[in-house]
Amino acid sequence: MVEIAPSILNSNLLNLKESVSEINGADWLHFDVMDGHFVPNLTFGPMFVEAIKEISDLPIESHLMVSNPDFFVPLYAEAGSKRIIVHAESSVHLHRLVQKIKEFGCEAGVALNPATPLTAIEHLLEEVDLVLIMTVNPGYGGQKLIPSMIPKIKKLRELIDSREITCKIEIDGGVNWDNASILVEAGVDVVVAGTLIFREPDRRKAVARLKGIVAKGGN
Ligand code: DX5
Ligand code: ZN
């Protein structure tokens, strides 16, 4: 069953309580952590994860777009993230970092920027719960999906299916009403969508609409 994970980056940050409640029909809450160094933007500290957990039962996946993930993993794990996604490009000891995430009892995800090849994580597929294929260059919501990421998703799908492992494929950035079904057909398990949801006047309806699209398996 394909899941959806709305990102609150482009939600109404002046009424986060409302934004979080509008997406409670989703499967995950996608939480974009940016340090102004790994990506040219600065966002939420771990106290926001704690605050959101007070008002929502949605499991939170913290997407760490940070240069020092070893420092931030414990903070976002202890704040209550169910899944922590780190960037392959942000650690020279990625295998050890994945073990560290799992030691905190969190699901471990590894993200690849658009230019980073799948070979960067081929020796980790048995260790991680999820691979996040960035379909935009990280740092901002509302960007256009990079079409050349579709064959990358299909290649990863083949790679995972050839090994009979349970690693999920997630994509993040530029999802819209036209490409969502194409992405599901390419073999995605989790779809992140931020602007698509929050630019709609009725976010609850948008969440239900996206769930409907992914549930049909893309057709
Ligand atoms: C970008 C973030 C994405 C973003 C969602 O660096 O990782 O999660 O917030 O992107 P859109 O708004 O395109 O769905
Ligand atoms: Zn993200």
Side-chain angles (χ1 to χ4, degrees), residues 3-121:
E3 297 179 309
I4 65 169
S7 157
I8 58 169
L9 184 69
N10 275 2
S11 70
N12 174 6
L13 300 179
L14 293 179
N15 192 345
L16 208 45
K17 190 168 182 178
E18 174 67 14
S19 302
V20 169
S21 72
E22 288 170 328
I23 59 169
N24 65 9
D27 301 291
W28 291 82
L29 186 153
H30 185 82
F31 193 72
D32 286 307
V33 179
M34 301 179 187
D35 66 356
H37 188 259
F38 184 76
V39 290
N41 202 349
L42 190 59
T43 60
F44 315 102
M47 68 293 282
F48 282 86
V49 172
E50 286 168 356
I52 290 170
K53 285 193 70 65
E54 294 288 313
I55 56 165
S56 170
D57 295 333
L58 271 186
I60 295 172
E61 61 170 19
S62 290
H63 175 192
L64 302 188
M65 291 163 273
V66 300
S67 296
N68 184 359
D70 278 285
F71 171 74
F72 286 105
V73 160
L75 302 184
Y76 285 87
E78 282 154 9
S81 306
K82 183 165 176 6
R83 180 186 288 149
I84 294 183
I85 304 167
V86 292
H87 270 259
E89 306 87 356
S90 67
S91 173
V92 287
H93 297 292
L94 190 56
H95 184 281
R96 189 175 67 191
L97 180 60
V98 164
Q99 302 314 315
K100 185 172 187 171
I101 294 170
K102 293 177 11 178
E103 279 157 19
F104 277 97
C106 300
E107 284 188 25
V110 177
L112 296 177
N113 284 336
T116 306
L118 294 176
T119 47
I121 47 101

Side-chain angles (χ1 to χ4, degrees), residues 139-154:
Y140 299 95
Q143 302 178 79
K144 233 174 111 10
L145 181 133
I146 301 168
S148 61
M149 293 298 106
I150 308 261
K152 187 175 180 181
I153 296 163
K154 290 180 177 169

